[in-house]
Amino acid sequence: MQTVTLNNGVTMPILGFGVFQIAPEQTEQAVTDALAAGYRSLDTAAAYGNEEAVGRAIRNSGIPREDLFVTTKLWVQDTGEENTKRAFETSLAKLGLDHLDLYLIHQPYGDVHGSWRAMENLNREGRARAIGVSNFHSDRLVDLVDRNEITPAVNQIETHPFHQRAADQALMRERGVQIESWGGFAEGKNNLFTHPVLSGIAERHGRSVAQVVLRWLVQREVVAIPKSVRADRMKENLDVFDFELTEDQMAAITTLDTGASLFFDHRDPASVSRIGNLRVHD
């Protein structure tokens, strides 16, 4: 497995397994299958409601803890210094772990600076080996970096062929932040899996469109966390390290960029209010 080295020296697999939108009752089996397929990086979140199922799969796998890279996320409801400490302990207990490899602020809302102070302490204590953010546009990321001691190791943002985030990635490189993609397949929007540009490249390599998209992300040095509940697709998604897209093929994919989200705008007032006020626990 190819890895990336984060700004504090921690190594992270460039491909992991995400469990967003997998129902809790399906998650344990999905993670079990993913670990059997060879995934060693797992991405969940308090807001997904499936941390306990992820934890059960980890415990039952028999895989040494040091061989796994586990990420979870802090929800908006729990921002602020003291709230973050409690939320971290809750996530650890649900996962059945004594530390996290990566802890992210899930959304750029609420008292993120208070949360970051708590997360810096968790990082210094070694309980969160790396800390980062998710869904932060460049202005919010720079604000956090400039006003705190520890620079986020990762920013997990919507990144796929139709929203490529090249400028955001360039800024992150300048600031020492690793870009990580969510929604790498755009949830199939814009007919991604049958798109003629992607299908044509896939045909020339004898690969699937999903493999081409993941290879494109890998060659851009973007961490990806593809999701599937099918064991055969999980294996297929990992099988992207024995071929390479040409410069012309990479350039062809670049032309697909619309420069806009296919899901929601984190700067839209209605989205800010809806996401920021969503409660995921009592």
Side-chain angles (χ1 to χ4, degrees):
M1 169 63 69
Q2 186 174 326
T3 61
V4 297
T5 301
L6 305 180
N7 59 20
N8 63 353
V10 169
T11 58
M12 178 182 189
I14 200 164
L15 283 186
F17 183 72
V19 298
F20 176 56
Q21 292 181 332
I22 300 181
E25 60 271 19
Q26 290 184 289
T27 300
E28 184 176 352
Q29 186 60 55
V31 174
T32 297
D33 291 342
L35 292 171
Y39 290 88
R40 291 298 179 264
S41 178
L42 303 172
D43 179 277
T44 185
Y48 300 168
N50 54 20
E51 288 174 310
E52 289 172 306
V54 171
R56 286 195 300 272
I58 290 172
R59 286 193 298 279
N60 293 334
S61 72
I63 297 170
R65 174 67 183 91
E66 61 268 21
D67 292 345
L68 297 174
F69 190 99
V70 182
T71 301
T72 194
K73 309 178 192 77
L74 172 78
W75 188 244
V76 188
Q77 179 181 351
D78 297 312
T79 59
E81 196 159 355
E82 293 304 316
N83 287 341
T84 296
K85 294 176 187 177
R86 287 191 291 269
F88 179 84
E89 298 298 340
T90 297
S91 286
L92 268 191
K94 287 183 175 181
L95 288 162
L97 302 176
D98 62 3
H99 72 277
L100 289 174
D101 298 284
L102 180 61
Y103 195 41
L104 304 179
I105 296 177
H106 202 156
Q107 303 287 351
Y109 311 133
D111 182 10
V112 297
H113 288 275
S115 291
W116 195 251
R117 287 192 295 273
M119 289 165 65
E120 286 182 321
N121 286 330
L122 291 167
N123 179 241
R124 293 185 188 104
E125 294 166 0
R127 305 195 68 211
R129 295 177 63 227
I131 53 176
V133 296
S134 179
N135 296 306
F136 275 53
H137 280 276
S138 290
D139 56 338
R140 295 296 85 211
L141 182 64
V142 168
D143 180 64
L144 192 68
V145 170
D146 284 353
R147 283 160 179 75
N148 291 281
E149 182 180 336
I150 297 177
T151 294
V154 169
N155 186 15
Q156 185 184 114
I157 58 175
E158 178 188 351
T159 313
H160 49 73
F162 306 119
H163 194 26
Q164 299 186 13
R165 314 302 290 266
D168 294 291
Q169 184 177 9
L171 184 280
M172 287 184 223
R173 279 193 175 125
E174 290 175 9
R175 294 290 183 141
V177 181
Q178 172 64 48
I179 184 173
E180 180 176 10
S181 160
W182 65 256
F185 299 144
E187 295 185 7
K189 292 178 184 289
N190 289 4
N191 298 312
L192 179 136
F193 292 111
T194 57
H195 193 283
V197 170
L198 299 172
S199 297
I201 295 171
E203 184 176 352
R204 285 191 286 279
H205 286 279
R207 301 287 179 147
S208 69
V209 167
Q211 288 174 311
V212 166
V213 171
L214 291 173
R215 183 65 211 177
W216 169 75
L217 288 167
V218 166
Q219 285 184 217
R220 289 184 57 202
E221 299 180 339
V222 177
V223 172
I225 46 171
K227 177 203 78 175
S228 179
V229 294
R230 290 177 47 180
D232 58 335
R233 290 279 174 81
M234 295 175 193
K235 293 175 183 176
E236 178 184 285
N237 289 343
L238 269 186
D239 187 21
V240 298
F241 296 103
D242 60 350
F243 75 103
E244 187 168 337
L245 304 182
T246 67
E247 289 184 12
D248 286 346
Q249 289 167 345
M250 294 291 287
I253 296 174
T254 298
T255 67
L256 304 182
D257 192 10
T258 67
S261 171
L262 295 187
F263 299 97
F264 45 81
D265 182 354
H266 278 84
R267 292 167 169 169
D268 171 64
S271 294
V272 173
S273 182
R274 177 174 57 83
I275 296 169
N277 288 294
L278 178 63
R279 298 182 65 83
V280 300
H281 63 80
D282 295 332

